[in-house]
Amino acid sequence: MESNSLRRRPRRQRRRGKPKAAAPKPTIASSASSEGATSSTVHDVPDDVLEMILLGLDSSVCLVRAASACRRWRRVVADAGFLDRFRLLRAIPGHYASRLSHNGSPVFVPSSTQQNAQSFSLDFVPKIDGSWEIADSRGTLLLLMKNNGVTRSHRFNPDLVVCEPLTRRYEAISCPPQGQCLGLFLVSGGAGRGTIGMANFKVMAVGLRKHPTAWDRAVPAVCEYSRRDGRWHSVHCLWNAHIHLPDRICSFFFAGRANGSLYWGIIGDAHYGYDHAGLVVDEATAAASRVALPVLESIHEWHEGRCFRVIGGEGGVLRVVRFIENQVKIYARFHGGSEWVLEKLLLIPTIATTNGAAGTRNKIVAAHETYVLVAPKDSACLFLVDLKTMAVERGQDWNMYCDGDVGDLYELPAYRYQLPWPPILKALPELSPC
């Protein structure tokens, strides 16, 4: 009996000790998880998270360096969708603005303090009798025109110059032959996705000529300068037989560029049918037509047009941004439709508080499909309105770049400048096979 009882005791002790024996198991598991954590690398980050990280890079130079890290990073960077998103965020280093009173070259105002304004200087363009004024910008090119210059000169004194600040190249061209000119614009002279450069640019001049039947009316006229032969050519401008326009260029204000077309608003009254009306010219075909604009009341003066801008959007959507008293209104006209819909509304007090300016004195200086750059009267600090989030961001002090003369910035538009895009990405043989 005693021997049997002695034999059972170790069994009872082993049963009681089982929970204690299981205690080290979490320690083993934790050590395994810690080993797994230490073995994880950046290559374990999913593609969508990696895209978000790469979108935060400061410039396309940093993006090219990141794409050189390995094949996987290059694949993510080279994706067309990623490049489009990055371009909208980072490919615009700043804006050029003309100066009226200083008789000097236009100035470059960077989007951030990290950009070196001197890298975009126009000191390489020819000196002329007078001063240069910006007529248009497209991609990496600028179109400069002579402002109040003397035509007779013994030195090289061109009327127009197309230049590329990054490569410091330029080409001088003559003025268009037609008289009343509504505007000069850079257009692509090559095939593909609207690519434009010093090798294939064209200059489009949109003007007015007398209406064939109405003596006090006009119709649009277009001519183009081709770099291939260095001459201006009259372009057949298709227009509807019922179209009639004011016969003076002072009756128009440039309203914007969107979805491959140029837009002007018309200053006039309802008696001639000019209220709510605008002119649109297709860049590719030069076809012209009248278009209805979402203007609740007629625009009677030119400076009122500075509070109005037509912009494009994804899927052929056409939008209009307008400052009215204490509001910013965004109207949209969807592809295939003819009616304008009020899409977004932003109250000006937010902007006025940020910049100390009344809403009625804000002017749109530059516009893009994702933002508008606005200048308050007598203020050197411009502010940016994000059209997707309707957030207001205070911009740089333009006094630093314009010698304290803010009046010019308020009166003249600014032109955004783009870096070459997309950047050239080449796979290197020594890349890591990640």
Side-chain angles (χ1 to χ4, degrees), residues 31-44:
S31 63
S33 62
S34 63
E35 289 177 2
T38 55
S39 62
S40 297
T41 66
V42 69
H43 306 310
D44 298 321

Side-chain angles (χ1 to χ4, degrees), residues 253 265-269 275-276 295 297-305 308 322:
F253 64 89
I266 301 177
I267 302 172
D269 52 34
D275 57 331
H276 309 267
V295 182
E297 66 281 347
S298 297
I299 295 179
H300 297 285
E301 297 183 22
W302 181 85
H303 69 85
E304 295 180 16
F308 183 96
R322 191 174 187 199

Side-chain angles (χ1 to χ4, degrees), residues 157-360:
N157 197 39
D159 299 307
L160 299 172
V161 160
V162 176
C163 64
E164 190 172 46
L166 288 179
T167 60
R168 300 179 67 83
R169 295 184 296 169
Y170 73 87
E171 181 172 330
I173 61 179
S174 60
C175 276
Q178 61 190 24
Q180 296 196 82
C181 186
L182 292 174
L184 298 167
F185 304 93
L186 287 164
V187 295
S188 175
R193 301 170 54 187
T195 55
I196 183 172
M198 290 297 296
N200 68 340
F201 73 84
K202 285 185 179 180
V203 179
M204 173 182 281
V206 181
L208 299 175
R209 63 181 178 87
K210 288 294 184 180
H211 195 284
T213 58
W215 67 271
D216 60 343
R217 296 291 175 264
V219 292
V222 176
C223 61
E224 286 184 350
Y225 175 88
S226 175
R227 189 181 183 277
R228 294 180 180 178
D229 57 6
R231 298 174 56 188
W232 287 94
H233 301 273
S234 179
V235 179
H236 182 57
C237 183
L238 298 174
W239 45 272
N240 189 288
H242 299 288
I243 190 173
H244 59 89
L245 304 170
D247 59 350
R248 296 181 300 172
I249 59 174
C250 60
S251 299
F252 297 82
F253 64 89
F254 184 64
R257 187 180 208 157
N259 302 337
S261 296
L262 304 165
Y263 290 84
W264 285 265
I266 301 177
I267 302 172
D269 52 34
H271 177 71
Y272 294 103
Y274 296 141
D275 57 331
H276 309 267
L279 170 67
V280 54
V281 176
D282 188 277
E283 292 184 20
T285 64
S289 60
R290 287 270 297 269
V291 61
L293 298 176
V295 182
L296 299 181
E297 66 281 347
S298 297
I299 295 179
H300 297 285
E301 297 183 22
W302 181 85
H303 69 85
E304 295 180 16
R306 294 294 307 279
C307 305
F308 183 96
R309 191 60 66 94
V310 179
I311 60 174
E314 297 178 356
V317 177
L318 193 66
R319 289 185 172 88
V320 163
V321 181
R322 191 174 187 199
F323 283 74
I324 304 176
E325 296 179 352
N326 65 332
Q327 297 176 335
V328 179
K329 292 185 176 182
I330 300 180
Y331 297 88
R333 194 184 72 183
F334 297 96
H335 183 68
S338 58
E339 295 186 359
W340 292 94
V341 179
L342 180 61
E343 189 177 40
K344 293 181 182 179
L345 173 66
L346 175 66
L347 296 179
I348 289 292
T350 305
I351 300 176
T353 303
T354 305
N355 298 274
T360 54

Side-chain angles (χ1 to χ4, degrees), residues 353-400:
T353 303
T354 305
N355 298 274
T360 54
R361 309 180 78 183
N362 295 325
K363 305 295 181 184
I364 298 177
V365 172
H368 185 251
E369 61 187 41
T370 59
Y371 71 88
V372 288
L373 192 64
V374 183
K377 182 68 173 176
D378 301 326
S379 174
C381 288
L382 279 68
F383 58 89
L384 184 143
V385 180
D386 189 311
L387 298 181
K388 290 187 176 181
T389 64
M390 297 304 285
V392 180
E393 178 182 348
R394 190 182 183 92
Q396 287 216 67
D397 186 351
W398 287 42
N399 263 329
M400 300 169 54

